[in-house]
Amino acid sequence: MVRALIMLILLTGRLTANPLSRAVTRELPNNYPFIVQKEYIGAFVKQWDGPAQTVFTAIVEKVKEATLRVVDVHFGNYAYSRFKQRVS
């Protein structure tokens, strides 16, 4: 899993292989030192904030729209008593 994530990061070109060349230890073939894995995963996770905020904002808008539709369906008949305005 970690190896696949590191390969994905390297293939997208967002990070360079510099930590790999600096981390000189006796590792198994195709295995990266823990510090390199930690650095790559940390750099990748730091990029999540913007897309996560965008998705969250879109979901909040969709939930608001759905809630207002439900309120309109259930309380639309109470327009004269202003009950619908108090609920929404």
Side-chain angles (χ1 to χ4, degrees), residues 17-55:
N18 289 340
L20 293 177
S21 62
R22 286 183 290 155
V24 179
T25 61
R26 293 182 181 168
E27 297 291 331
L28 295 172
N30 298 321
N31 192 17
Y32 301 105
F34 175 74
I35 191 70
V36 173
Q37 295 176 8
K38 181 180 171 186
E39 192 172 317
Y40 276 139
I41 292 170
F44 193 69
V45 169
K46 284 181 187 177
Q47 299 172 1
W48 288 0
D49 188 44
Q53 289 295 330
T54 303
V55 169

Side-chain angles (χ1 to χ4, degrees), residues 25-86:
T25 61
R26 293 182 181 168
E27 297 291 331
L28 295 172
N30 298 321
N31 192 17
Y32 301 105
F34 175 74
I35 191 70
V36 173
Q37 295 176 8
K38 181 180 171 186
E39 192 172 317
Y40 276 139
I41 292 170
F44 193 69
V45 169
K46 284 181 187 177
Q47 299 172 1
W48 288 0
D49 188 44
Q53 289 295 330
T54 303
V55 169
F56 178 76
T57 303
I59 289 173
V60 165
E61 288 302 316
K62 295 294 181 184
V63 168
K64 280 183 186 178
E65 292 171 8
T67 304
L68 290 176
R69 280 195 308 267
V70 169
V71 167
D72 190 40
V73 167
H74 289 286
F75 300 107
N77 295 332
Y78 301 103
Y80 294 112
S81 65
R82 306 186 98 206
F83 188 61
K84 179 183 167 189
Q85 286 80 12
R86 291 180 189 164

Side-chain angles (χ1 to χ4, degrees), residues 1-16:
M1 172 71 182
V2 173
R3 184 171 154 208
L5 182 61
I6 291 173
M7 292 307 294
L8 175 68
I9 292 169
L10 287 174
L11 289 175
T12 58
R14 295 186 181 195
L15 299 174
T16 61

